[in-house]
PDB file of all heavy atoms in Angstrom:
ATOM      1  N   ALA B  80      32.687 -18.267 -16.139  1.00 98.00           N
ATOM      2  CA  ALA B  80      31.651 -17.537 -15.249  1.00 98.00           C
ATOM      3  C   ALA B  80      31.640 -18.161 -13.818  1.00 98.00           C
ATOM      4  O   ALA B  80      31.595 -17.534 -12.749  1.00 98.00           O
ATOM      5  CB  ALA B  80      30.364 -17.572 -15.850  1.00 98.00           C
ATOM      6  N   VAL B  81      31.677 -19.441 -13.802  1.00 98.00           N
ATOM      7  CA  VAL B  81      31.371 -20.192 -12.493  1.00 98.00           C
ATOM      8  C   VAL B  81      32.589 -20.624 -11.838  1.00 98.00           C
ATOM      9  O   VAL B  81      32.551 -21.141 -10.701  1.00 98.00           O
ATOM     10  CB  VAL B  81      30.386 -21.353 -12.869  1.00 98.00           C
ATOM     11  CG1 VAL B  81      31.182 -22.582 -13.329  1.00 98.00           C
ATOM     12  CG2 VAL B  81      29.551 -21.737 -11.640  1.00 98.00           C
ATOM     13  N   GLU B  82      33.763 -20.343 -12.409  1.00 97.00           N
ATOM     14  CA  GLU B  82      34.973 -20.953 -11.851  1.00 97.00           C
ATOM     15  C   GLU B  82      35.155 -20.332 -10.466  1.00 97.00           C
ATOM     16  O   GLU B  82      35.221 -19.122 -10.221  1.00 97.00           O
ATOM     17  CB  GLU B  82      36.195 -20.455 -12.769  1.00 97.00           C
ATOM     18  CG  GLU B  82      37.428 -21.179 -12.380  1.00 97.00           C
ATOM     19  CD  GLU B  82      38.682 -20.754 -13.134  1.00 97.00           C
ATOM     20  OE1 GLU B  82      38.463 -19.915 -14.157  1.00 97.00           O
ATOM     21  OE2 GLU B  82      39.790 -20.920 -12.833  1.00 97.00           O
ATOM     22  N   ASP B  83      35.365 -21.210  -9.456  1.00 97.00           N
ATOM     23  CA  ASP B  83      35.584 -20.730  -8.061  1.00 97.00           C
ATOM     24  C   ASP B  83      34.428 -20.040  -7.430  1.00 97.00           C
ATOM     25  O   ASP B  83      34.657 -19.301  -6.391  1.00 97.00           O
ATOM     26  CB  ASP B  83      36.933 -20.104  -7.983  1.00 97.00           C
ATOM     27  CG  ASP B  83      37.410 -20.076  -6.522  1.00 97.00           C
ATOM     28  OD1 ASP B  83      37.270 -21.065  -5.789  1.00 97.00           O
ATOM     29  OD2 ASP B  83      38.101 -19.031  -6.134  1.00 97.00           O
ATOM     30  N   ALA B  84      33.252 -20.049  -8.067  1.00 98.00           N
ATOM     31  CA  ALA B  84      32.075 -19.194  -7.465  1.00 98.00           C
ATOM     32  C   ALA B  84      31.698 -19.836  -6.141  1.00 98.00           C
ATOM     33  O   ALA B  84      31.389 -20.996  -6.052  1.00 98.00           O
ATOM     34  CB  ALA B  84      30.998 -19.088  -8.526  1.00 98.00           C
ATOM     35  N   ASP B  85      31.416 -18.911  -5.192  1.00 98.00           N
ATOM     36  CA  ASP B  85      30.847 -19.200  -3.969  1.00 98.00           C
ATOM     37  C   ASP B  85      29.353 -19.252  -3.994  1.00 98.00           C
ATOM     38  O   ASP B  85      28.653 -20.019  -3.255  1.00 98.00           O
ATOM     39  CB  ASP B  85      31.304 -18.330  -2.824  1.00 98.00           C
ATOM     40  CG  ASP B  85      32.802 -18.303  -2.643  1.00 98.00           C
ATOM     41  OD1 ASP B  85      33.379 -19.521  -2.415  1.00 98.00           O
ATOM     42  OD2 ASP B  85      33.395 -17.278  -2.824  1.00 98.00           O
ATOM     43  N   LEU B  86      28.751 -18.458  -4.902  1.00 98.00           N
ATOM     44  CA  LEU B  86      27.415 -18.293  -4.985  1.00 98.00           C
ATOM     45  C   LEU B  86      27.024 -17.930  -6.419  1.00 98.00           C
ATOM     46  O   LEU B  86      27.727 -17.208  -7.103  1.00 98.00           O
ATOM     47  CB  LEU B  86      26.941 -17.210  -4.027  1.00 98.00           C
ATOM     48  CG  LEU B  86      25.309 -17.050  -3.979  1.00 98.00           C
ATOM     49  CD1 LEU B  86      24.938 -16.723  -2.617  1.00 98.00           C
ATOM     50  CD2 LEU B  86      24.950 -15.711  -4.779  1.00 98.00           C
ATOM     51  N   ILE B  87      25.939 -18.581  -6.965  1.00 98.00           N
ATOM     52  CA  ILE B  87      25.384 -18.298  -8.163  1.00 98.00           C
ATOM     53  C   ILE B  87      23.987 -17.604  -7.871  1.00 98.00           C
ATOM     54  O   ILE B  87      23.150 -18.100  -7.086  1.00 98.00           O
ATOM     55  CB  ILE B  87      25.031 -19.479  -9.094  1.00 98.00           C
ATOM     56  CG1 ILE B  87      26.333 -20.111  -9.594  1.00 98.00           C
ATOM     57  CG2 ILE B  87      24.199 -19.143 -10.235  1.00 98.00           C
ATOM     58  CD1 ILE B  87      26.124 -21.397 -10.375  1.00 98.00           C
ATOM     59  N   ASN B  88      23.757 -16.517  -8.517  1.00 98.00           N
ATOM     60  CA  ASN B  88      22.414 -15.872  -8.556  1.00 98.00           C
ATOM     61  C   ASN B  88      21.873 -15.840 -10.027  1.00 98.00           C
ATOM     62  O   ASN B  88      22.449 -15.160 -10.839  1.00 98.00           O
ATOM     63  CB  ASN B  88      22.377 -14.494  -7.905  1.00 98.00           C
ATOM     64  CG  ASN B  88      20.952 -13.926  -7.668  1.00 98.00           C
ATOM     65  OD1 ASN B  88      20.720 -12.783  -7.945  1.00 98.00           O
ATOM     66  ND2 ASN B  88      20.149 -14.698  -7.059  1.00 98.00           N
ATOM     67  N   GLU B  89      20.841 -16.602 -10.247  1.00 98.00           N
ATOM     68  CA  GLU B  89      20.307 -16.743 -11.543  1.00 98.00           C
ATOM     69  C   GLU B  89      19.226 -15.812 -11.812  1.00 98.00           C
ATOM     70  O   GLU B  89      18.205 -15.784 -11.098  1.00 98.00           O
ATOM     71  CB  GLU B  89      19.928 -18.226 -11.807  1.00 98.00           C
ATOM     72  CG  GLU B  89      19.158 -18.488 -13.028  1.00 98.00           C
ATOM     73  CD  GLU B  89      17.648 -18.426 -12.761  1.00 98.00           C
ATOM     74  OE1 GLU B  89      17.113 -19.101 -11.837  1.00 98.00           O
ATOM     75  OE2 GLU B  89      16.961 -17.706 -13.482  1.00 98.00           O
ATOM     76  N   SER B  90      19.364 -14.943 -12.828  1.00 96.00           N
ATOM     77  CA  SER B  90      18.307 -14.035 -13.209  1.00 96.00           C
ATOM     78  C   SER B  90      17.889 -14.132 -14.692  1.00 96.00           C
ATOM     79  O   SER B  90      17.701 -13.125 -15.399  1.00 96.00           O
ATOM     80  CB  SER B  90      18.798 -12.520 -12.984  1.00 96.00           C
ATOM     81  OG  SER B  90      18.970 -12.361 -11.642  1.00 96.00           O
ATOM     82  N   VAL B  91      17.880 -15.304 -15.192  1.00 96.00           N
ATOM     83  CA  VAL B  91      17.479 -15.465 -16.624  1.00 96.00           C
ATOM     84  C   VAL B  91      16.027 -15.314 -16.753  1.00 96.00           C
ATOM     85  O   VAL B  91      15.191 -15.305 -15.781  1.00 96.00           O
ATOM     86  CB  VAL B  91      18.041 -16.848 -17.282  1.00 96.00           C
ATOM     87  CG1 VAL B  91      19.532 -17.043 -17.041  1.00 96.00           C
ATOM     88  CG2 VAL B  91      17.294 -17.967 -16.838  1.00 96.00           C
ATOM     89  N   ILE B  92      15.540 -15.313 -18.048  1.00 92.00           N
ATOM     90  CA  ILE B  92      14.177 -15.037 -18.286  1.00 92.00           C
ATOM     91  C   ILE B  92      13.138 -15.993 -17.574  1.00 92.00           C
ATOM     92  O   ILE B  92      13.635 -17.178 -17.282  1.00 92.00           O
ATOM     93  CB  ILE B  92      14.001 -15.052 -19.901  1.00 92.00           C
ATOM     94  CG1 ILE B  92      12.536 -14.582 -20.363  1.00 92.00           C
ATOM     95  CG2 ILE B  92      14.191 -16.439 -20.368  1.00 92.00           C
ATOM     96  CD1 ILE B  92      12.605 -14.346 -21.732  1.00 92.00           C
ATOM     97  N   GLU B  93      11.938 -15.499 -17.340  1.00 88.00           N
ATOM     98  CA  GLU B  93      10.987 -16.364 -16.504  1.00 88.00           C
ATOM     99  C   GLU B  93      10.279 -17.492 -17.311  1.00 88.00           C
ATOM    100  O   GLU B  93       9.084 -17.551 -17.415  1.00 88.00           O
ATOM    101  CB  GLU B  93       9.949 -15.410 -15.858  1.00 88.00           C
ATOM    102  CG  GLU B  93      10.437 -14.450 -14.778  1.00 88.00           C
ATOM    103  CD  GLU B  93      10.580 -15.226 -13.405  1.00 88.00           C
ATOM    104  OE1 GLU B  93       9.670 -15.465 -12.756  1.00 88.00           O
ATOM    105  OE2 GLU B  93      11.768 -15.525 -13.203  1.00 88.00           O
ATOM    106  N   GLU B  94      11.209 -18.245 -17.991  1.00 91.00           N
ATOM    107  CA  GLU B  94      10.580 -19.420 -18.613  1.00 91.00           C
ATOM    108  C   GLU B  94      11.128 -20.731 -18.087  1.00 91.00           C
ATOM    109  O   GLU B  94      12.301 -20.872 -17.918  1.00 91.00           O
ATOM    110  CB  GLU B  94      10.788 -19.329 -20.109  1.00 91.00           C
ATOM    111  CG  GLU B  94       9.850 -18.259 -20.779  1.00 91.00           C
ATOM    112  CD  GLU B  94      10.099 -18.064 -22.255  1.00 91.00           C
ATOM    113  OE1 GLU B  94      10.593 -19.002 -22.866  1.00 91.00           O
ATOM    114  OE2 GLU B  94       9.667 -16.955 -22.795  1.00 91.00           O
ATOM    115  N   ILE B  95      10.252 -21.577 -17.720  1.00 95.00           N
ATOM    116  CA  ILE B  95      10.582 -22.766 -17.100  1.00 95.00           C
ATOM    117  C   ILE B  95      11.694 -23.603 -17.822  1.00 95.00           C
ATOM    118  O   ILE B  95      12.761 -24.008 -17.300  1.00 95.00           O
ATOM    119  CB  ILE B  95       9.413 -23.663 -16.721  1.00 95.00           C
ATOM    120  CG1 ILE B  95       8.495 -22.953 -15.773  1.00 95.00           C
ATOM    121  CG2 ILE B  95       9.798 -25.045 -16.122  1.00 95.00           C
ATOM    122  CD1 ILE B  95       7.126 -23.653 -15.460  1.00 95.00           C
ATOM    123  N   ASP B  96      11.552 -23.776 -19.131  1.00 96.00           N
ATOM    124  CA  ASP B  96      12.425 -24.593 -20.009  1.00 96.00           C
ATOM    125  C   ASP B  96      13.860 -23.944 -19.973  1.00 96.00           C
ATOM    126  O   ASP B  96      14.800 -24.737 -19.807  1.00 96.00           O
ATOM    127  CB  ASP B  96      11.996 -24.450 -21.489  1.00 96.00           C
ATOM    128  CG  ASP B  96      10.699 -25.182 -21.578  1.00 96.00           C
ATOM    129  OD1 ASP B  96      10.102 -25.612 -20.655  1.00 96.00           O
ATOM    130  OD2 ASP B  96      10.138 -25.127 -22.838  1.00 96.00           O
ATOM    131  N   ILE B  97      13.887 -22.696 -20.032  1.00 97.00           N
ATOM    132  CA  ILE B  97      15.175 -22.027 -20.063  1.00 97.00           C
ATOM    133  C   ILE B  97      15.856 -22.015 -18.702  1.00 97.00           C
ATOM    134  O   ILE B  97      17.105 -22.431 -18.641  1.00 97.00           O
ATOM    135  CB  ILE B  97      15.032 -20.571 -20.577  1.00 97.00           C
ATOM    136  CG1 ILE B  97      14.492 -20.571 -22.058  1.00 97.00           C
ATOM    137  CG2 ILE B  97      16.405 -19.839 -20.473  1.00 97.00           C
ATOM    138  CD1 ILE B  97      14.209 -19.170 -22.560  1.00 97.00           C
ATOM    139  N   LYS B  98      15.063 -21.797 -17.679  1.00 97.00           N
ATOM    140  CA  LYS B  98      15.699 -21.989 -16.395  1.00 97.00           C
ATOM    141  C   LYS B  98      16.208 -23.396 -16.136  1.00 97.00           C
ATOM    142  O   LYS B  98      17.283 -23.557 -15.466  1.00 97.00           O
ATOM    143  CB  LYS B  98      14.737 -21.455 -15.278  1.00 97.00           C
ATOM    144  CG  LYS B  98      14.609 -19.923 -15.085  1.00 97.00           C
ATOM    145  CD  LYS B  98      13.948 -19.551 -13.817  1.00 97.00           C
ATOM    146  CE  LYS B  98      13.436 -18.028 -13.788  1.00 97.00           C
ATOM    147  NZ  LYS B  98      14.545 -17.114 -13.632  1.00 97.00           N
ATOM    148  N   GLU B  99      15.440 -24.435 -16.547  1.00 97.00           N
ATOM    149  CA  GLU B  99      15.787 -25.788 -16.356  1.00 97.00           C
ATOM    150  C   GLU B  99      17.118 -26.056 -17.019  1.00 97.00           C
ATOM    151  O   GLU B  99      18.046 -26.661 -16.494  1.00 97.00           O
ATOM    152  CB  GLU B  99      14.751 -26.695 -16.894  1.00 97.00           C
ATOM    153  CG  GLU B  99      13.484 -26.977 -15.911  1.00 97.00           C
ATOM    154  CD  GLU B  99      12.462 -27.829 -16.496  1.00 97.00           C
ATOM    155  OE1 GLU B  99      12.532 -28.194 -17.724  1.00 97.00           O
ATOM    156  OE2 GLU B  99      11.639 -28.244 -15.748  1.00 97.00           O
ATOM    157  N   LYS B 100      17.192 -25.531 -18.257  1.00 98.00           N
ATOM    158  CA  LYS B 100      18.428 -25.826 -19.043  1.00 98.00           C
ATOM    159  C   LYS B 100      19.707 -25.259 -18.385  1.00 98.00           C
ATOM    160  O   LYS B 100      20.713 -25.865 -18.256  1.00 98.00           O
ATOM    161  CB  LYS B 100      18.214 -25.134 -20.436  1.00 98.00           C
ATOM    162  CG  LYS B 100      19.071 -25.676 -21.573  1.00 98.00           C
ATOM    163  CD  LYS B 100      18.726 -25.041 -22.876  1.00 98.00           C
ATOM    164  CE  LYS B 100      19.866 -24.745 -23.607  1.00 98.00           C
ATOM    165  NZ  LYS B 100      19.701 -23.902 -24.801  1.00 98.00           N
ATOM    166  N   VAL B 101      19.505 -23.964 -17.935  1.00 98.00           N
ATOM    167  CA  VAL B 101      20.476 -23.206 -17.246  1.00 98.00           C
ATOM    168  C   VAL B 101      20.988 -23.992 -15.936  1.00 98.00           C
ATOM    169  O   VAL B 101      22.259 -24.131 -15.800  1.00 98.00           O
ATOM    170  CB  VAL B 101      20.139 -21.780 -16.961  1.00 98.00           C
ATOM    171  CG1 VAL B 101      21.126 -21.098 -15.924  1.00 98.00           C
ATOM    172  CG2 VAL B 101      20.010 -20.929 -18.260  1.00 98.00           C
ATOM    173  N   TRP B 102      20.003 -24.382 -15.179  1.00 98.00           N
ATOM    174  CA  TRP B 102      20.409 -25.117 -13.899  1.00 98.00           C
ATOM    175  C   TRP B 102      21.030 -26.428 -14.173  1.00 98.00           C
ATOM    176  O   TRP B 102      21.862 -26.952 -13.366  1.00 98.00           O
ATOM    177  CB  TRP B 102      19.200 -25.067 -13.031  1.00 98.00           C
ATOM    178  CG  TRP B 102      19.128 -23.853 -12.226  1.00 98.00           C
ATOM    179  CD1 TRP B 102      18.085 -22.942 -12.323  1.00 98.00           C
ATOM    180  CD2 TRP B 102      20.044 -23.191 -11.462  1.00 98.00           C
ATOM    181  NE1 TRP B 102      18.320 -21.812 -11.688  1.00 98.00           N
ATOM    182  CE2 TRP B 102      19.530 -21.873 -10.987  1.00 98.00           C
ATOM    183  CE3 TRP B 102      21.317 -23.615 -10.874  1.00 98.00           C
ATOM    184  CZ2 TRP B 102      20.184 -21.064 -10.147  1.00 98.00           C
ATOM    185  CZ3 TRP B 102      21.905 -22.747  -9.984  1.00 98.00           C
ATOM    186  CH2 TRP B 102      21.398 -21.463  -9.657  1.00 98.00           C
ATOM    187  N   LYS B 103      20.582 -27.161 -15.186  1.00 98.00           N
ATOM    188  CA  LYS B 103      21.196 -28.427 -15.572  1.00 98.00           C
ATOM    189  C   LYS B 103      22.673 -28.102 -15.908  1.00 98.00           C
ATOM    190  O   LYS B 103      23.605 -28.838 -15.439  1.00 98.00           O
ATOM    191  CB  LYS B 103      20.453 -29.045 -16.708  1.00 98.00           C
ATOM    192  CG  LYS B 103      20.935 -30.551 -17.031  1.00 98.00           C
ATOM    193  CD  LYS B 103      20.083 -31.075 -18.030  1.00 98.00           C
ATOM    194  CE  LYS B 103      20.421 -32.611 -18.233  1.00 98.00           C
ATOM    195  NZ  LYS B 103      21.812 -32.796 -18.640  1.00 98.00           N
ATOM    196  N   GLN B 104      22.903 -27.196 -16.795  1.00 98.00           N
ATOM    197  CA  GLN B 104      24.352 -26.841 -17.151  1.00 98.00           C
ATOM    198  C   GLN B 104      25.080 -26.415 -16.082  1.00 98.00           C
ATOM    199  O   GLN B 104      26.206 -26.995 -15.879  1.00 98.00           O
ATOM    200  CB  GLN B 104      24.123 -25.773 -18.240  1.00 98.00           C
ATOM    201  CG  GLN B 104      25.420 -25.306 -18.794  1.00 98.00           C
ATOM    202  CD  GLN B 104      25.298 -24.116 -19.698  1.00 98.00           C
ATOM    203  OE1 GLN B 104      24.262 -23.307 -19.632  1.00 98.00           O
ATOM    204  NE2 GLN B 104      26.267 -23.882 -20.667  1.00 98.00           N
TER     205      GLN B 104
END
Side-chain angles (χ1 to χ4, degrees):
Chain B
V81 81
E82 194 185 347
D83 202 31
D85 298 302
L86 181 138
I87 291 177
N88 189 229
E89 168 269 309
S90 297
V91 308
I92 192 167
E93 289 285 278
E94 284 180 23
I95 295 176
D96 296 359
I97 297 177
K98 282 198 195 286
E99 279 181 349
K100 203 176 137 190
V101 166
W102 279 115
K103 186 172 188 301
Q104 181 186 19

